[in-house]
Amino acid sequence: MTKFTRSLSGVAFAAMTLMASGQAMAQTVSWWYEALTPEQQKLLDDKLVGGFAASHPGVTLELEYRGNAVENQQRLALMSGGGPDIINSNGPATALATAKAGQLLALDDYAAKLGWDKRLIPMFLSLGKVDGVLYSIPKNYEAMGLFYNADIFAAKGWTAPKTVAEMEALADTMLAEGMTPFVAGNAGFRPANEQFFTVALNQLAGPAAIREALAGTRPWTDPVFVEAMTRFKAWYDKGYYGKDYFSTSTIDAFAGMVTGKTGMAPQGTWAFSWVKDYFDPAGANAAFTSIPVAEGVPYPLFPIGVGSALSINAKSANPDAAAQVIDYIFSGDFYGAVVPQWQGEWNVPLADLSGIAMQGEVTPLYKEATTMIADAIADGSYGYTTWTFWPPRSEQYIISGVEELWLNKATPEQFLAGLQEIFAGELAEGSVPPLP
């Protein structure tokens, strides 16, 4: 057992105030889950289903693995008045639309009774509010940073770039040596496009301009965004994202960093699981730092987001029991059990991790990265990810629009004009997620 003593804020870790299990005797809570590997399913069966059952006799969690179609299945079930008790959505923007349709239960009373308003990082908790009412809780939070192979960088005398100018110089050197500069590819996962859009927009335009645009006080057609998209397009044209972007998966490209086929990965913290899968078996050393930024943009900078949010079905027959399951996710017991085994995925936004007993080893790189990100968030040095802060139709437009931009079917001006038109409509109808 080790102690992971990172502290995200001065908020003390509140004592668990779970409901008495006797209040929910013989109840079942259903939760539909996405596709996982057999190893990941076993981990959740043991640590989540088993761990919850051990501390909540009389309440059974049924975790049903439904594959990649789970989001559509859940949406259709909710529309017909059915669906699981716990609704797992792809972040605040998706949850916002579901809440507006009247399909989610308000969570404010549970947040107060169970202490979520004190135990979770306030900024992330606020993202789940719709018109001031809490409807979703982040299951995890993510940050985009720069992964690279520390061994190869050391051998070649390279240092991690801090500025866009340094990054472009290094990328040109990598190209000259036959390496693909960026770990990138959207084979099997087209939304990868928005991850690279997110990084480039934050690097080049900066979070202040993005925040103004999300608030509706600066149009997406502003010159600062046109300049950013022009440079983003130039990176694709130069080959920074590789010649086989559309036939390569990002995971395969990430594995290429071990051998030096690819150079550096602007990726989310979920990639720590890939470090374990590819770097560790090869005995290679990965490193992680802030994304490089353009002149005038603050450094370090980590675009943040919520990859998954939890809510309770408005039609649930067991809402109190469902709240107990969500509460267990935010317990030190579950955090200490799951994080050492699945780093990067279960980055639950607990406000204070001091004193949590970790049931396994957390790698020094993961500790270093989470501390770095926590410090940056506390200092306000964070940016905005499309899948958390953009409304749904705008997000979908970006995912397809990146390809239009890169493949010369739209100029930066045309691409951004289309985004502005869709975003303005969603802003007017109140579909833009809240800003922290």
Side-chain angles (χ1 to χ4, degrees), residues 143-147 183-185 192 195-196 199 250-251 254 257 264-272 274 288-289 291 302-303 387:
M144 302 297 291
L146 188 72
F147 291 84
V183 165
Q195 297 168 3
F196 303 110
V199 170
T250 297
I251 295 178
F254 193 92
M257 279 202 303
M264 46 190 165
Q267 271 298 315
T269 42
W270 57 80
F272 278 101
W274 303 342
F288 177 86
T289 190
I291 59 170
F302 297 95
W387 54 94

Side-chain angles (χ1 to χ4, degrees), residues 167-178:
M167 184 195 75
E168 290 177 335
L170 179 56
D172 291 341
T173 298
M174 289 175 171
L175 280 175
E177 296 198 10

Side-chain angles (χ1 to χ4, degrees), residues 40-246:
Q40 291 167 338
Q41 288 188 24
K42 183 178 186 308
L43 179 66
L44 290 193
D45 288 344
D46 290 345
K47 305 302 183 184
L48 178 54
V49 178
F52 177 78
S55 56
H56 297 75
V59 182
T60 299
L61 170 61
E62 290 186 347
L63 206 56
E64 189 174 337
Y65 302 101
R66 290 194 161 224
N68 292 327
V70 63
E71 182 180 359
N72 192 46
Q73 293 172 3
Q74 184 173 263
R75 181 177 59 82
L76 294 174
L78 285 169
M79 290 173 62
S80 61
D85 296 296
I86 293 179
I87 303 300
N88 192 353
S89 59
N90 292 331
T94 305
L96 184 150
T98 312
K100 280 183 170 290
Q103 296 165 345
L104 301 180
L105 200 65
L107 301 176
D108 299 272
D109 288 346
Y110 289 120
K113 185 183 299 183
L114 299 172
W116 299 343
D117 53 348
K118 297 179 178 61
R119 289 156 48 197
L120 302 183
I121 301 173
M123 180 181 74
F124 288 107
L125 193 65
S126 69
L127 299 179
K129 292 187 176 181
V130 179
D131 298 330
V133 179
L134 183 66
Y135 284 102
S136 68
I137 309 287
K139 190 192 84 176
N140 57 11
Y141 71 95
E142 307 163 336
M144 302 297 291
L146 188 72
F147 291 84
Y148 59 96
N149 187 323
D151 300 329
I152 290 178
F153 269 54
K156 292 183 175 294
W158 297 341
T159 57
K162 293 184 177 180
T163 69
V164 166
E166 292 172 352
M167 184 195 75
E168 290 177 335
L170 179 56
D172 291 341
T173 298
M174 289 175 171
L175 280 175
E177 296 198 10
M179 300 171 67
T180 298
F182 294 160
V183 165
N186 75 348
F189 187 64
R190 198 182 185 197
N193 296 349
E194 64 176 317
Q195 297 168 3
F196 303 110
F197 170 90
T198 286
V199 170
L201 193 71
N202 280 273
Q203 285 178 289
L204 297 167
I210 295 173
R211 185 182 180 86
E212 290 175 2
L214 290 171
T217 60
R218 183 194 291 252
W220 290 111
T221 52
D222 188 280
V224 70
F225 301 125
V226 174
E227 182 179 346
M229 290 300 98
T230 300
R231 207 159 179 177
F232 181 44
K233 168 77 162 61
W235 292 349
Y236 177 80
D237 290 343
K238 292 182 71 173
Y240 287 4
Y241 297 95
K243 298 178 181 177
D244 302 316
Y245 176 85
F246 296 100

Side-chain angles (χ1 to χ4, degrees), residues 93-94 96 214 220 386-398 419 422-427 429-433:
T94 305
L96 184 150
L214 290 171
W220 290 111
T386 52
W387 54 94
T388 302
F389 296 102
W390 270 252
R393 295 199 300 277
S394 296
E395 181 194 3
Q396 290 304 312
Y397 174 82
I398 290 168
L419 175 60
I422 294 172
F423 182 86
E426 292 189 292
L427 182 66
E429 66 187 36
S431 296
V432 179

